Amino acid sequence: MTTTFNRRQTLALGAGAISLAMFGAVPALAKNDAEEAIKKFTGGKTPVQGKVKLDLPEIAENGNTVPMTVTVESPMTEQSHVTDVMIVADENPRSAVATFHFSPASGVAEANTRIRLAATQDVIAVAKMNDGSFFIASKQVKVTIGGCGG
Amino acid sequence: MASKPRIKLDKKEAKKGDLVEVKALVSHVMETGQRKDAAGNTVPRKILNKFTCTVAGKQVFAADFETAVSANPYIQFKFKAQESGTVVLTWTDDDGSTIVGEETITVS
């Protein structure tokens, strides 16, 4: 069977391909194992956007040391608290950045450290609650001079 | 690792339930294991991979560091003041050695 496309069909096909490409881009096309790392952390559950706040500079001049603050909204009581927060960077040679462990004794789920970013990329934070739910946030950082290696 | 970590609590005396902020800086190369030296040999990985903070013997915060944490790692976090005691910060190296720093907190 041979199929020949007339002009109208070709256009429709093209538009379809474009919209497909755009949809494909929504879950960031990670180069490293960031997505698998998140899956492993959540045990296959899909984390919900919200509650997590990632504070990073929009432009990092030096990727060797980028200040990062992560805050998770939570009352931090025995009944409801954040247990772990995993940070991954999707274009570093290795996706894992750090994991923070909290408990009600922390009082507040907030931590700050300095991280290495090899290139312009998204930094993703996934928070695990004591009830087994997961929340996610991401922030893009433009890196002028990459960290890692050199 | 003889270097002494620099630790700062935002208050030495706190009321029960207050949030105390801890800032700590420690000297360490945090070698990623991906860098090559002048001869082209890979520099072996050597990082502080674990950090814990206990107050009066109870863990209040911990972190697992990976190679993407900057050299001379800085960490800032908070804990809820519950009882007076020693605030012990421990960093564990890849080679198993530890760097320990202490501060005291008085809770009224």
Side-chain angles (χ1 to χ4, degrees):
Chain A
M1 187 182 123
T2 50
T3 42
T4 45
F5 294 111
N6 63 24
R7 190 166 161 259
R8 193 168 291 177
Q9 281 169 325
T10 312
L11 277 173
L13 216 72
I18 290 166
S19 65
L20 207 79
M22 278 160 71
F23 268 111
V26 173
L29 293 166
K31 275 191 189 163
N32 60 22
D33 59 344
E35 261 175 69
E36 285 96 276
I38 294 172
K39 256 187 213 143
K40 209 174 147 198
F41 181 70
T42 62
K45 273 195 193 172
T46 312
V48 183
Q49 289 279 348
K51 288 204 183 188
V52 184
K53 192 170 158 267
L54 252 183
D55 219 343
L56 281 151
E58 239 161 69
I59 297 169
E61 276 179 19
N62 182 357
N64 261 318
T65 172
V66 185
M68 174 199 74
T69 307
V70 60
T71 319
V72 187
E73 237 178 79
S74 163
M76 295 305 275
T77 56
E78 282 295 339
Q79 290 78 35
S80 166
H81 61 266
V82 182
T83 58
D84 309 274
V85 178
M86 184 181 70
I87 313 289
V88 294
D90 67 2
E91 286 211 26
N92 268 0
R94 289 182 69 239
S95 66
V97 174
T99 310
F100 301 119
H101 308 285
F102 299 100
S103 69
S106 308
V108 60
E110 186 188 311
N112 174 317
T113 188
R114 291 174 194 155
I115 65 171
R116 288 177 176 136
L117 295 174
T120 296
Q121 60 187 310
D122 288 330
V123 177
I124 306 156
V126 188
K128 183 183 182 186
M129 305 298 184
N130 66 322
D131 63 2
S133 60
F134 292 90
F135 292 91
I136 190 168
S138 68
K139 169 108 199 248
Q140 200 196 44
V141 183
K142 291 194 171 75
V143 177
T144 327
I145 308 165
C148 298
Chain B
M1 272 293 159
S3 66
K4 210 171 164 276
R6 294 214 311 238
I7 302 163
K8 199 170 177 189
L9 306 183
D10 71 340
K11 42 176 130 16
K12 296 255 180 194
E13 288 164 15
K15 287 199 180 74
K16 198 176 157 94
D18 273 2
L19 285 178
V20 181
E21 186 178 71
V22 184
K23 291 177 179 172
L25 189 65
V26 59
S27 296
H28 197 278
V29 289
M30 296 296 274
E31 193 57 64
T32 60
Q34 281 158 5
R35 231 158 48 91
K36 289 197 166 77
D37 63 13
N41 303 317
T42 306
V43 183
R45 179 184 129 145
K46 182 176 168 57
I47 65 164
L48 296 170
N49 57 46
K50 201 166 165 44
F51 168 77
T52 56
C53 174
T54 60
V55 180
K58 274 192 207 148
Q59 180 173 310
V60 294
F61 178 82
D64 298 326
F65 291 151
E66 301 288 343
T67 51
V69 172
S70 300
N72 303 330
Y74 168 81
I75 183 93
Q76 180 191 327
F77 59 94
K78 289 173 183 164
F79 70 87
K80 201 191 234 171
Q82 293 288 358
E83 52 185 318
S84 300
T86 318
V87 181
V88 183
L89 283 75
T90 312
W91 288 263
T92 310
D93 196 296
D94 273 348
D95 65 14
S97 64
T98 55
I99 302 174
V100 182
E102 287 183 1
E103 279 285 333
T104 47
I105 180 106
T106 314
V107 180
S108 52

